[in-house]
Amino acid sequence: MPDTTTHKTIVEISEPLPETVDAGTDVAMRVKVSCPTRCDLRGRPVTVMAGEIILAGADLATYHEKVNETERFTFKAPAEAGEHTLSVLVARHEDGTTVHEAGSISTALRTVPHPTSMAVWDAPAPAVLNTAFTVKVGVKCSAMCTLSGHVVEVHDENGATVGQAALRQETWPGSDALYWTEIPLPGPLVEQVQGWTVVFPTAGVALPHEAASATFTFRTE
């Protein structure tokens, strides 16, 4: 019976991952694998895991200068904001009299809440005393997330909620993922310059998002 030869498997990440990634968004990776005897390992699977969760899999696709490498592939970053340890694994493989040991490498990935921005327009100039009016409000996520259905609120100078509305299904015409709504508001009872704040609470949004706010001013007469 022929003797079995065992080769060590060396796993490397071809390109460093970004320092931070928006939670739950795509991350690109390429992995290279080699062994001391420079074997051709094309077709062997590579698995990316976060703890016990499999994030992605790809096969070694190229063999160049005695190194095997996957094509660039993507996986979804963990949906929770924070520090994560990823494991890149190649399983043990036996081919005739040659055994390649399992190989792995670990890397850190930090996920962060999605930055959001807000715009307010069409505030009255001026507002009529004790007469209702409306403002338009738009909210945009840096990762182009769908924000329709989420509520935005307007607070007066004392922090009281004076109006709210859900972001509409459609985005503002000609914009790039700016979800908007129109909020009806009560007319102030005092003749003066007012400064009210529109707030986008992030509770209930599927992925972590930074809270956003914008202040608009107007006077009543």
Side-chain angles (χ1 to χ4, degrees):
M1 184 175 181
D3 294 334
T4 299
T5 303
T6 301
H7 297 178
K8 182 179 180 180
T9 302
I10 303 164
V11 182
E12 301 173 82
I13 298 173
S14 302
E15 304 167 4
L17 297 180
E19 290 186 6
T20 60
V21 176
D22 289 348
T25 58
D26 287 340
V27 183
M29 177 182 277
R30 182 183 283 129
V31 177
K32 56 185 177 182
V33 178
S34 59
C35 80
T37 54
R38 301 179 177 181
C39 294
D40 184 345
L41 303 176
R42 281 178 292 181
R44 309 288 168 80
V46 174
T47 306
V48 182
M49 303 186 70
E52 299 298 318
I53 300 173
I54 297 175
L55 300 181
D59 291 339
L60 295 171
T62 62
Y63 180 64
H64 179 65
E65 295 183 352
K66 311 302 181 181
V67 174
N68 306 270
E69 194 169 29
T70 66
E71 301 290 352
R72 180 179 277 108
F73 61 95
T74 61
F75 61 89
K76 290 289 184 187
E80 303 79 19
E83 299 286 345
H84 305 274
T85 299
L86 306 185
S87 299
V88 183
L89 312 170
V90 176
R92 180 182 183 275
H93 182 81
E94 185 172 350
D95 184 9
T97 60
T98 303
V99 174
H100 283 89
E101 296 177 341
S104 67
I105 189 172
S106 296
T107 186
L109 182 68
R110 180 169 174 257
T111 54
V112 297
H114 299 197
T116 54
S117 57
M118 177 176 282
V120 184
W121 66 99
D122 281 359
V128 178
L129 196 68
N130 199 26
T131 301
F133 63 95
T134 62
V135 296
K136 293 183 177 68
V137 176
V139 183
K140 180 179 178 179
C141 165
S142 64
M144 310 298 180
C145 289
T146 300
L147 300 177
S148 57
H150 294 290
V151 172
V152 289
E153 302 173 350
V154 179
H155 300 168
D156 66 15
E157 292 174 320
N158 298 316
T161 301
V162 293
Q164 63 179 25
L167 296 170
R168 299 183 181 185
Q169 187 70 33
E170 68 277 6
T171 58
W172 182 255
S175 72
D176 193 8
L178 180 69
Y179 289 86
W180 73 286
T181 191
E182 195 169 39
I183 305 178
L185 298 169
L189 302 176
V190 180
E191 189 174 347
Q192 64 180 32
V193 176
Q194 304 276 343
W196 289 3
T197 302
V198 187
V199 177
F200 173 59
T202 58
V205 182
L207 294 171
H209 283 72
E210 295 177 355
S213 65
T215 299
F216 65 98
T217 59
F218 60 96
R219 63 182 176 85
T220 54
E221 62 178 36

